[in-house]
């Protein structure tokens, strides 16, 4: 993940407004609701975020079989 503080929406988002945005910062990864950009932000350590992504990808892979 790029750690430039720029909020990004997944390229796989359907465009229906039900999205989250993710930004990589120096010491954390932030996640927020794209419909409420001024609202609360969840923050994770980079290692926890990496584990979350790996787990999500593994589940998706298992569901495709």
């Amino acid at each position: 993940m790029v750690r430039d503080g720029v909020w990004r929406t997944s390229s796989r988002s359907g465009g229906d407004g039900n999205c989250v945005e993710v930004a990589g910062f120096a010491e954390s990864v932030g996640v927020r609701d794209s419909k409420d950009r001024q609202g609360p932000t969840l923050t994770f350590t980079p290692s926890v975020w990496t584990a979350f992504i790996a787990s999500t990808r593994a589940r998706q892979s298992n569901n495709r079989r």
Side-chain angles (χ1 to χ4, degrees), residues 4-57:
D4 59 5
V6 175
W7 290 96
R8 292 175 174 83
T9 302
S10 171
S11 60
R12 295 184 180 194
S13 295
D16 58 1
N18 294 325
C19 305
V20 295
E21 295 178 326
V22 178
F25 300 100
E27 300 292 325
S28 65
V29 176
V31 180
R32 69 182 183 187
D33 184 342
S34 63
K35 296 182 303 298
D36 187 12
R37 291 184 172 131
Q38 302 306 314
T41 300
L42 300 173
T43 57
F44 302 92
T45 64
S47 61
V48 168
W49 181 253
T50 299
F52 168 73
I53 295 299
S55 174
T56 301
R57 287 180 177 159

